[in-house]
Amino acid sequence: MATENQSYRITRHACPRNCYDTCSILAYTQNGILHKVEGDPSHSYTNGKLCTKGYSYTNRVYHPERLRTPMLQTHRGSGRWQEISWEEAMKIIADKILSLNHRYGNNLALALNKYSGNFGILHNAAEGMFNSLGPTTQAIGSPCWSAGLDAHTYDFGDYLTSDPEEMVHSQLIILWGVNPAWTAVHSMPFIYKAKEQGATVVVIDPIYTTTARKSDIYIQVNPGSDIYLALAIAKVIIEQNWQDTKFIKQYTHGWEHYNESLKNYDFNDLLSLCGQTIEVITELAELMYRKRPMMIWTGFGLQRHLQGGQTIRAINALAAITGNIGTIGSGVQFAQQQTWQFNYNILMRSAPHSFRAVDINTFDTALQELDNPPIKLLWISCRNLLTQSPARKSLMKSLKNLELIVTVDQFLTPTAQLSDIVLPTTTQFEEWDIVASYWHHWIAINEPAIKPYYDSKSELEIAQLLSKTLNVLQPGFCRFPTDLSSEDFIDNEFNNELYQQLDINNWRELLDGPKKIKLPTAWENLSFKTPTKKFEFLMATLDKKSNSPKYPYWLLSPHAQFAINSQFQNNPWIQKLKPEPEVVINPITATDLAIITGSMVKVFNQNGSIVAKARVSNDVPGNSIVFYQGWTPKSNVFVNDLVENQPTDMGNFVTGSPGVAFYNTFVNIQKL
Ligand SMILES: Nc1nc2c(c(=O)[nH]1)N[C@H]1C(S)=C(S)[C@@H](COP(=O)(O)OP(=O)(O)OC[C@H]3O[C@@H](n4cnc5c(=O)[nH]c(N)nc54)[C@H](O)[C@@H]3O)O[C@H]1N2
Ligand SMILES: Nc1nc2c(c(=O)[nH]1)N[C@H]1C(S)=C(S)[C@@H](COP(=O)(O)OP(=O)(O)OC[C@H]3O[C@@H](n4cnc5c(=O)[nH]c(N)nc54)[C@H](O)[C@@H]3O)O[C@H]1N2
Ligand code: SF4
Ligand SMILES: [Mo]
């Protein structure tokens, strides 16, 4: 509940960004102005601290460029914006929706593209409003985690995480293609604690990351080759008879086949593919044998490759053959949605997929190819389509076919700049919401600390307003409830099981502090949800063909330190920390091309080119070029101009479409 502290009013919040940490935040307001935010000390994962981005929230809320009122652009892309009222905006949008409905006889010409700007439960109002119109077109799938979710589902029957705080009990922690020192900062203290208690920390990454700097052993793997590394380790474990035979016999399925198929791989081939020596592989295998329990955290970065799913399965197998599953401090951690046990009534779904589903990652093609009817109106929310999507150029082109683009955001992003109407929306300090994490097991609340900024409205209010406007023009057109408050909507999201697991009777108790869902260590009972009820080994034979790229360097574009995807880099405090985008290259590449730190360079491939300043660093391997993804305002440098949409091997099963092999991108570089 809001409390008084000296002269401040203190309210509770949850950071709703697409971030592992989903921190619990305390906000301090005075006379209706947000003065300060801090991490909630009662949340054992947040532990009273925020990240740099989190501390910059006060500046984000009052950012001078924050959208204040709805705006209409006279000619798309012209930059000639005119402020309009909500009534005018809604009238334009509703008129277009109705005229498209009359033209085509249905609402399939309306498309929703929404993703991860805000993961709060009430932010599903956009989907709810669309579903309330009957069948429409909606983007499904995910650029984050699809391949890994499928890999876990095939192996275990579901994707679960142990409470990340349990990492303190590990004796061996392998951080495999994950960079928590940047992307999940609040996990690091548990890793440090485990180290104090004798754990060995191994980081496997092509880049010598900040996380790698904190490790005991760093393995610089070739990009996209982790599957070979995992197979090589398995070969040594089995050759040395270090496997946990009892575990394999009792709890796994497909061992013989797996063991047999390992024999198809020549050990030396595997070594050269992943760029490691026999000593390194043996050391890792021996560590896995001797240091128990072992916890492997496979990151999202790891599976943004063509064989991303199979790679995760090959790594999961290492946990299975060493019997490192189900006990505290062991397991393979990826992500979970066990804590997302809401009713999802807000989605207003009459049946699953009661809409025309298009893959969020091939949205450009959908815009070009869908017919009967084609997409004519695009509603974008929580999504910076034009900085974050692969095949960016093709997407820009496809937008031309649209008659109306509406973007709901807080800022005039590159996506908003190519829209006809922008609608300003509230932040987590101006609205009610409930937020769960895909990593830890806490649930937290957002309550209004301050009034909505100028004319901005919450996602829910916008959905309700559009629904009302449509129904005035054509009664009964939209069944999205317009008479319920945000609090009513939250009421409708909770159920008895969720209350029981949170040990509360009413969601309002979250106003007294966040709550952790009590969940056992992942797979504690060793009864898996696969058809055989056992851990199922990867059965498929690998496609051993390596792709022969036309350009000499891998382009890795992982997640930046001071950003969440395209968010935060426009914040004045963050801009000071990272004023411009940069291309990071290895000293040998630099010397060969006479590039020094600060040189302007062009990075290019068959898809396009970008120009930015170079930074020379030993952290990057000689075969790769690194450009941290995101959006640096005013720079006009978009790494996704170089990235095409190549699907990962898995992803369909859980999210409905494959992931994106963002990092299977090859480029060349030249000094300008
Ligand atoms: N090259 C390359 N590209 C990548 C990746 C990569 O590794 N490399 N990673 C991919 C991954 S994993 C992801 S998740 C995607 C992320 O891509 P997006 O889902 O587009 O994520 P964000 O950039 O975090 O946020 C999108 C927008 O949401 C807005 N927003 C914030 N809060 C709200 C709100 O409450 N309401 C509304 N309506 N809008 C809000 C923000 O201002 C921002 O403009 O990018 C992908 N793109
Ligand atoms: N600061 C910050 N935090 C974030 C985000 C952000 O943008 N910034 N984004 C959030 C979102 S949407 C997501 S999806 C997560 C992503 O967070 P992570 O799961 O940490 O994923 P990435 O940062 O994409 O990649 C992690 C590491 O994988 C490495 N990698 C790339 N290719 C390979 C490979 O072939 N093998 C191996 N072993 N490693 C490889 C990269 O070099 C990188 O260091 O973070 C979330 N948290
Ligand atoms: S961005 Fe991530 S680490 Fe930072 S405050 Fe938000 S949830 Fe916490
Ligand atoms: Mo993501």
Side-chain angles (χ1 to χ4, degrees), residues 21-311:
D21 288 2
T22 314
C23 292
S24 195
I25 301 175
L26 297 176
Y28 292 73
T29 52
Q30 202 175 38
N31 303 326
I33 302 286
L34 176 66
H35 281 264
K36 182 174 96 160
V37 287
E38 63 182 23
D40 186 343
S42 75
H43 188 283
S44 58
Y45 182 83
T46 305
N47 197 21
K49 297 183 204 78
L50 298 177
C51 72
T52 314
K53 306 165 295 264
Y55 286 119
S56 77
Y57 269 130
T58 44
N59 238 6
R60 179 186 172 102
V61 168
Y62 301 112
H63 193 300
E65 285 162 21
R66 197 171 151 195
L67 296 171
R68 298 175 177 197
T69 62
M71 295 200 296
L72 173 71
Q73 190 168 211
T74 14
H75 178 68
R76 197 184 294 160
S78 67
R80 287 198 301 275
W81 291 96
Q82 159 198 353
E83 292 187 357
I84 53 173
S85 66
W86 279 98
E87 290 67 34
E88 286 168 309
M90 289 297 139
K91 175 86 169 60
I92 299 170
I93 301 166
D95 280 346
K96 180 53 90 181
I97 291 178
L98 292 171
S99 89
L100 290 170
N101 176 278
H102 298 153
R103 193 187 312 168
Y104 297 113
N106 57 47
N107 291 324
L108 292 170
L110 318 178
L112 172 66
N113 193 312
K114 175 158 171 288
Y115 193 56
S116 71
N118 185 316
F119 273 159
I121 177 78
L122 293 194
H123 281 258
N124 287 301
E127 287 89 335
M129 197 270 293
F130 263 69
N131 287 333
S132 303
L133 298 168
T136 54
T137 305
Q138 293 182 35
I140 60 156
S142 158
C144 286
W145 58 351
S146 311
L149 292 186
D150 276 18
H152 274 259
T153 309
Y154 294 141
D155 285 345
F156 296 92
D158 198 354
Y159 49 100
L160 314 179
T161 58
S162 296
D163 181 343
E165 297 174 34
E166 289 184 10
M167 270 193 290
V168 300
H169 301 291
S170 304
Q171 276 300 301
L172 175 60
I173 296 179
I174 303 195
L175 303 171
W176 205 323
V178 67
N179 187 13
W182 285 10
T183 60
V185 289
H186 293 83
S187 280
M188 293 308 285
F190 304 107
I191 295 170
Y192 299 145
K193 179 91 195 193
K195 265 182 86 155
E196 275 166 31
Q197 296 177 170
T200 302
V201 176
V202 179
V203 166
I204 305 177
D205 200 304
I207 305 174
Y208 185 57
T209 59
T210 304
T211 310
R213 286 183 163 75
K214 308 286 181 190
S215 69
D216 300 295
I217 298 173
Y218 166 59
I219 313 287
Q220 188 162 55
V221 68
N222 283 336
S225 75
D226 304 75
I227 189 160
Y228 309 115
L229 175 58
L231 295 176
I233 297 171
K235 268 174 106 80
V236 173
I237 290 175
I238 294 165
E239 201 179 86
Q240 299 291 334
N241 211 13
W242 284 338
Q243 73 273 25
D244 184 337
T245 312
K246 203 169 139 229
F247 185 94
I248 293 171
K249 217 167 148 197
Q250 239 174 315
Y251 302 112
T252 72
H253 171 78
W255 160 254
E256 285 80 14
H257 184 106
Y258 166 79
N259 195 6
E260 227 18 70
S261 57
L262 275 181
K263 294 183 184 140
N264 295 332
Y265 300 96
D266 176 71
F267 189 68
N268 289 320
D269 282 355
L270 294 175
L271 291 186
S272 70
L273 282 163
C274 65
Q276 305 304 320
T277 60
I278 181 162
E279 288 75 22
V280 167
I281 304 292
T282 311
E283 185 180 358
L284 288 173
E286 190 163 357
L287 269 174
M288 291 188 188
Y289 171 57
R290 299 203 188 283
K291 290 211 86 173
R292 304 172 67 89
M294 164 182 74
M295 196 224 63
I296 308 180
W297 178 355
T298 51
F300 300 147
L302 177 64
Q303 39 100 71
R304 293 198 188 97
H305 286 279
L306 296 178
Q307 298 185 126
Q310 295 184 78
T311 301

Side-chain angles (χ1 to χ4, degrees), residues 16-18 60 114-118 123 142-145 300 304 380-385 387-390 408-411 413 425-428 431 459 557-559 564-567 627 629-631 639-640 643 662-663:
R17 307 277 85 85
N18 183 352
R60 179 186 172 102
K114 175 158 171 288
Y115 193 56
S116 71
N118 185 316
H123 281 258
S142 158
C144 286
W145 58 351
F300 300 147
R304 293 198 188 97
I380 302 168
S381 178
C382 296
R383 182 85 174 119
N384 203 344
L385 207 55
T387 63
Q388 298 312 112
S389 307
V408 184
D409 208 304
Q410 290 138 357
F411 296 100
T413 63
T425 194
T426 42
T427 66
Q428 76 265 23
E431 61 187 23
E459 197 86 44
S557 54
H559 292 229
I564 292 291
N565 303 307
S566 70
Q567 305 194 57
F627 186 99
Q629 62 107 345
W631 169 47
V639 72
N640 282 325
V643 178
F662 281 104
Y663 308 157

Side-chain angles (χ1 to χ4, degrees), residues 1 122 342 432-434 443-448 485-495 498-499 502-515:
M1 199 68 71
L122 293 194
F342 306 103
W432 288 100
D433 213 341
I434 302 286
I443 305 268
I445 194 163
N446 276 315
E447 57 177 316
S485 66
S486 303
E487 287 147 278
D488 295 334
F489 270 93
I490 295 181
D491 266 338
N492 289 338
E493 288 308 325
F494 278 81
N495 48 60
L498 185 52
Y499 278 142
L502 287 169
D503 201 17
I504 55 175
N505 296 312
N506 187 287
W507 58 267
R508 284 174 192 281
E509 289 173 48
L510 294 170
L511 290 169
D512 300 327
K515 282 278 182 181

Side-chain angles (χ1 to χ4, degrees), residues 303-353:
Q303 39 100 71
R304 293 198 188 97
H305 286 279
L306 296 178
Q307 298 185 126
Q310 295 184 78
T311 301
I312 303 268
R313 295 198 70 182
I315 294 169
N316 288 348
L318 294 174
I321 62 174
T322 58
N324 270 298
I325 293 171
T327 56
I328 195 159
S330 79
V332 245
Q333 298 275 84
F334 181 70
Q336 62 90 19
Q337 283 187 309
Q338 287 162 286
T339 56
W340 299 49
Q341 294 174 23
F342 306 103
N343 293 333
Y344 293 99
N345 287 331
I346 192 168
L347 285 177
M348 300 293 294
R349 241 177 217 168
S350 41
H353 286 203

